[in-house]
Structure formats: structure tokens, C-alpha cells
Amino acid sequence: MSVQPAATRPEGLDQPPSRLAAEVARRRTFAIISHPDAGKTTLTEKLLLYGGAIHLAGTVKARRQTRHATSDWMELERERGISVTSSVMQFDYEGIRLNLLDTPGHQDFSEDTYRTLMAADSAIMLLDNRKGVEERTRQLFDVCRLRRVPIVTFVNKCDRPGTDPLTLISEVERDLGLHCHAMTWPIFASSGLIGVYDRRTERVMLFDRTSDHGASRATSTDMALDDPAFANLVGSATFDQLLDDIALLDEASHPFDLTAVQAGELTPVYFGSALTNFAVEPFLHDFLRFAPAPGIRTSSAGPIPPDRPDFSGFVFKIQANMDPKHRDRIAFVRICSGKFEAGLDVTNTRTGKRIRLAAPQQFLARERTQTDEAWSGDVVGVLDRGTLRIGDTLAEDPAIKFEGIPRFAPEHFARVVPADPLRRKQLDSGLRDLSEEGAAQVFYVDGMSGSAPILGAIGRLQFDVMVHRLEREYNAPCRLEPMVYGHPRWMTGPRDAIEQAGNGRGRLLVYDAKGAPVILFENSSSLWAAQQHEKGLTFHEVAP
Ligand code: G4P
């Protein structure tokens, strides 16, 4: 789903901007892409702190821990030290409404993260100053590049020694093929990071270390680079080093170009430390300048501008039993046009069915509240009674269908063995709910949901989550028997030829949740052999 910059109207030809246009213009919907441990949770907290959504950093983590005590499957997150869920946080900063889409931290949940990135208009790339671009960041970056999502980079943990900043920047350029422009530059003294230089304003910002370890906002002193007081304060060694660095940057680095930033070709780079709050606020301030407001989305009915008055949006995530007390399903909808308020009548354009939407749900961390209205660009939760699927378009105009969200082929398969055969009904209902949510994919050997179910997952941790949730949420304990098969291929062609092809050695014919035939192969050679032999059939890597 490609995103184009928001449409601009010819000046003077139009009435004053409508409330909708004004709301769209002040929205920024973004995600943070990083490798686990780079400091995403810490930075998220600091953004919430500066946005006034929390008053003391430490609350998100603390709240996460309190919630763990009451919510069972978050217990699994705590046991494993991973973040499985993703949510959205909404807060205001300098009159801008930010929607921060949080993504699961572990690579086994990458499909969930990919879907979430489809709902974002920009991204913060967070790097550890010792590690630069790590594997997971690279994968997420690839998704952003595909959609030409603008990226602003924050090099974190600069409060402790790391890779030389110039080396780090050239590594990013080489590893990702992404041009960098350093917007700020770290100033190091013998005691470590003391401030940053802003290349645009030619001013320096020197930070005061707070005694509360970054729980509250950082205070700073701001002065011109050529203010003699600055050179006196930092000493000649630090001052000369900074001047050398600046000269080198001016000479050798890519010039700043806003169009290239908004096309995802150049990333502005900032240095700082989320833990101590150093340089977080100036970063946030600038990020809002570079992150685009919601843009035009492509659909089957043509381009949909965000300020089009009728409502449209798409479901990018479904989460069952978010609140164990209520046993409900929430579909996360990215609004692409119009306004959402309670009682809105929309069509699910996949099924053609009309749905009346209840009050939209909004989120802060994992708390959710009802809200009266939401606008294009926002992400809201919609209570789902089991009729919505990931990728569905909800729109007032039934002709609108946004491009689908790509699915990924599972790499691991396991047979589900119920611990108690009498609880088969609960097991089937859990499998249905959780697969619709996208937690894993379900297959059946004989195409009937009564037969032994098989789970397919991209990462093995998804299996653990499934077993845990089937037991806790559906009271359907089971164990999984890993299978030797991988390399699934969705098959199209004459039915009897598919059945015959599925009988060969090293192959297993199964059916996905929609009844489509899929052959699982033991290894790449058995797949290759089948492709050579079965000329009348088409092999698809994902469901066609
Ligand atoms: P994640 O969500 O990306 O996985 O990272 P998280 O924020 O949990 O941070 C990972 C570790 O890095 C944490 O340390 C955190 O305190 C530390 N960290 C984050 N930002 C900075 C920074 O700017 N400077 C330094 N020096 N460290 C930083 P931990 O010991 O694993 O956890 P904790 O006990 O501090 O919670």
C-alpha cells in the first residue's frame, strides 16, 4: 500500500480548511523500528513524558509489570522477557496529535510488526551507539523502504562510549543504502556526553544531569557555538574536536534535502540518550517537522485523500481477549479518510455486509478508553464480534477496498494434540479465533475442521504463545508435536492432480483455514523435485 504526500489545495480557491483538514494536518502516525535492547521502551516512555501523557518515566514499565499480575498471557511476556503484544499510544506534543504504533519486540512476531508498519506514515529508527544497524532493524527497514516511509534516526545510549559517530554514520549508509544527514552532533568531554551541537541553528545544547536518573525532563543550557563562554566551559580539546568534526561533516556528508527525507531516501540523524533524556526533546521537536501528516492511500476506487469527508479505514491487527475480564476481540483500524464516531454505518467491503460501529477505543500504553471521535490518520480499536479479518476495509463507500496486507508463509509446523479430547470444541474455537487474529496459521489434514489440526508459524515462539493462550483463554490444554515439514506451497490447478501431487514422498497435503490446498515439503529438494514434475500445477509461496 503506497502512501503519497497529502494533497495540497491551490491557495485562495478554497474555503478555510475544514475541521477535518485541520485535524489531518496535525496528526503524525509512526512506529519505532529497532533491534531488541536498543532502548525502544525507554524512548517510548520519554516521548510520553514529553508529551505529558505520563508524569514520571518508569510508569510504562511499572504499569506493564502490574498488568502482568492480572493478565495471564502477558505473564508469558514477562517470563520470557519479550514483548508479544503491540498496541498504539496516543498523545499530544506542541499541538500535534501523535499516534505511536508499538510493535512486538521479538523477531518471531515479525508478521505482526510488518502489518503494523502498513498503518504508519513514518518511522523512528533507533540505533544503539555501540551496535549500529542490527539484524532486526535491517528487516524492519526493508519494509519501510518498500513503502518509502520517511525515517528519522536516533542514535541512543550516547551517555556511554560507543562507536565513533562518523564511522557509525558510514556504516548505516553502507548497510542500508540510505543517505544520512547528521542534524545534531554529540559533544564529548572526559566525563562523557555533555551536550549536542545543532547544525541547523549553529547552537549547542549542554545538558544538566538530573539526580532522578532521567525520570523527569532534562534541563539544558543553550548557547551559540561561537560564544566564547562555550569554549571556556568545555575546554580547548573538546572545542577543537567539535570544530574538526563539523568541518568534516560539512565537507563530506550528504546535504540536507527535505524531499529526499519525505521519499525515504535520506534520514536525518540525531544523537542522544533516552535513559538520561539527553537530546530527546529537541529530537522529538524536529521529528514532528519531518514526519509527514497522513497522506493519500491507494484503493480499488482510486486514490483516497485523508481529507475526503466519508470514512474509510483498514484493519491491520486483531487481538482477542485483550482484557481477560471481557473476552472480547479488538480490531485495530487505521483511519484513511473522514471521521469516526460512535454509531457510524460502514460496509465491510470484503463481505459487503453493513456494520454499525460502536464508540472507538483509544489507548495509552495498555489502558484503553472510549473516545467520542477519531480522525483520518488515527488508529482506533473497534469491538469485533468475529466478523472482521486482517486486511479488511471498512468504509462508508462500499466501492473502496485498500490493498491487502501481505501474509507470510509459515516456516515451522506442529501437530496439535489435545490433552483432553472432550474439550475439542473449545480447542477449535480457540484455534479459529487465534488464527483469525494472525497469532499463527491453522491447517487441517483432510480439509475438515474435525481432523487433527496443524499449526504453522514464522517463529517458534508463536507456538508457545498459542499453547499458553489456548489453555488460559479457552481452557483447551494441548501439546504440540513438531513436524519435519516446512516450505509450504499453496496449490492451484485441477483438484485430482493436486491430491495426487500431495501423496508423494516427503510431502503432505493439508488445507488452510479457508479450505485452500497447501502442500508441505520436507526440504527444498523435495519441493524442487515436485516443481519439476508437476507441470500442470502452480505453486504459490503465499495464499493466492
Ligand atoms: P528495548 O525496548 O529496545 O528492548 O530496550 P529497553 O528500553 O528495555 O532498554 C534496554 C536496556 O538499555 C535497558 O537496560 C535500558 O535501561 C538501557 N538503555 C536504554 N536507553 C539507554 C541509554 O540512553 N543509555 C544507556 N546507558 N542505557 C540505555 P537494562 O539493564 O536491560 O534494563 P533496566 O534494568 O534498565 O530496565
Side-chain angles (χ1 to χ4, degrees), residues 91-410:
F91 60 99
D92 288 332
Y93 181 76
E94 294 181 348
I96 299 284
R97 171 66 49 94
L98 289 109
N99 289 299
L100 166 53
L101 306 178
D102 192 14
T103 52
H106 197 283
Q107 62 176 18
D108 280 12
F109 303 98
S110 46
E111 194 170 10
D112 204 33
T113 304
Y114 290 133
R115 292 185 205 125
T116 300
L117 287 176
M118 299 291 284
D121 297 321
S122 58
I124 292 175
M125 179 161 74
L126 182 69
L127 304 177
D128 181 316
N129 73 337
R130 286 186 185 165
K131 299 188 175 147
V133 176
E134 294 172 87
E135 187 46 35
R136 179 109 179 92
T137 319
R138 191 192 327 274
Q139 291 167 358
L140 296 170
F141 169 78
D142 285 342
V143 182
C144 292
R145 179 182 345 239
L146 222 59
R147 295 190 47 235
R148 300 165 67 85
V149 169
I151 294 175
V152 183
T153 300
F154 187 78
V155 178
N156 192 27
K157 307 197 184 183
C158 292
D159 57 309
R160 40 147 235 213
T163 310
D164 161 58
L166 280 171
T167 313
L168 196 119
I169 282 190
S170 33
E171 278 174 14
V172 174
E173 295 201 325
R174 198 193 51 225
D175 284 1
L176 301 181
L178 174 68
H179 292 170
C180 294
H181 178 90
M183 302 297 294
T184 61
W185 200 249
I187 308 170
F188 294 109
S190 51
S191 58
L193 181 77
I194 54 167
V196 290
Y197 167 66
D198 184 327
R199 292 178 70 203
R200 192 172 49 91
T201 58
E202 299 186 359
R203 296 182 72 81
V204 291
M205 201 176 254
L206 299 175
F207 300 103
D208 305 323
R209 276 189 196 275
T210 55
S211 53
D212 62 3
H213 305 287
S216 55
R217 307 163 86 109
T219 50
S220 61
T221 314
D222 170 84
M223 57 178 89
L225 176 68
D226 55 10
D227 184 336
F230 170 61
N232 275 340
L233 199 69
V234 298
S236 60
T238 298
F239 186 67
D240 293 344
Q241 176 68 49
L242 180 61
L243 291 187
D244 284 353
D245 285 349
I246 295 169
L248 200 63
L249 280 175
D250 289 347
E251 201 175 298
S253 72
H254 289 280
F256 183 75
D257 173 356
L258 186 60
T259 315
V261 173
Q262 299 206 321
E265 290 160 6
L266 180 128
T267 181
V269 179
Y270 292 81
F271 292 84
S273 155
L275 189 66
T276 59
N277 299 342
F278 279 18
V280 172
E281 190 155 25
F283 164 73
L284 176 58
H285 176 83
D286 273 15
F287 172 68
L288 298 184
R289 289 198 304 131
F290 299 135
I296 297 169
R297 296 256 170 180
T298 45
S299 83
S300 58
I304 307 292
D307 54 357
R308 188 178 142 136
D310 54 322
F311 171 87
S312 68
F314 64 90
V315 176
F316 65 94
K317 178 181 171 63
I318 292 179
Q319 179 123 30
N321 312 327
M322 244 176 114
D323 181 345
K325 289 195 291 283
H326 293 114
R327 282 213 151 261
D328 51 7
R329 274 182 24 154
I330 297 280
F332 288 79
V333 176
R334 153 75 199 226
I335 306 176
C336 300
S337 70
K339 177 184 172 188
F340 181 169
E341 49 195 345
L344 189 69
D345 263 321
V346 295
T347 301
N348 177 346
T349 63
R350 175 178 54 84
T351 59
K353 291 222 168 76
R354 304 284 299 169
I355 311 176
R356 172 170 275 238
L357 298 173
Q361 312 270 321
Q362 279 178 339
F363 307 87
L364 171 63
R366 297 219 161 80
E367 304 299 334
R368 74 176 198 235
T369 49
Q370 281 195 2
T371 164
D372 296 338
E373 54 184 33
W375 302 85
S376 185
D378 284 340
V379 166
V380 288
V382 171
L383 284 173
D384 169 34
R385 296 199 168 43
T387 54
L388 297 177
R389 303 278 180 279
I390 290 163
D392 279 358
T393 296
L394 299 178
E396 284 181 88
D397 176 352
I400 299 177
K401 207 177 224 171
F402 292 105
E403 285 171 60
I405 294 189
R407 285 228 72 170
F408 294 81

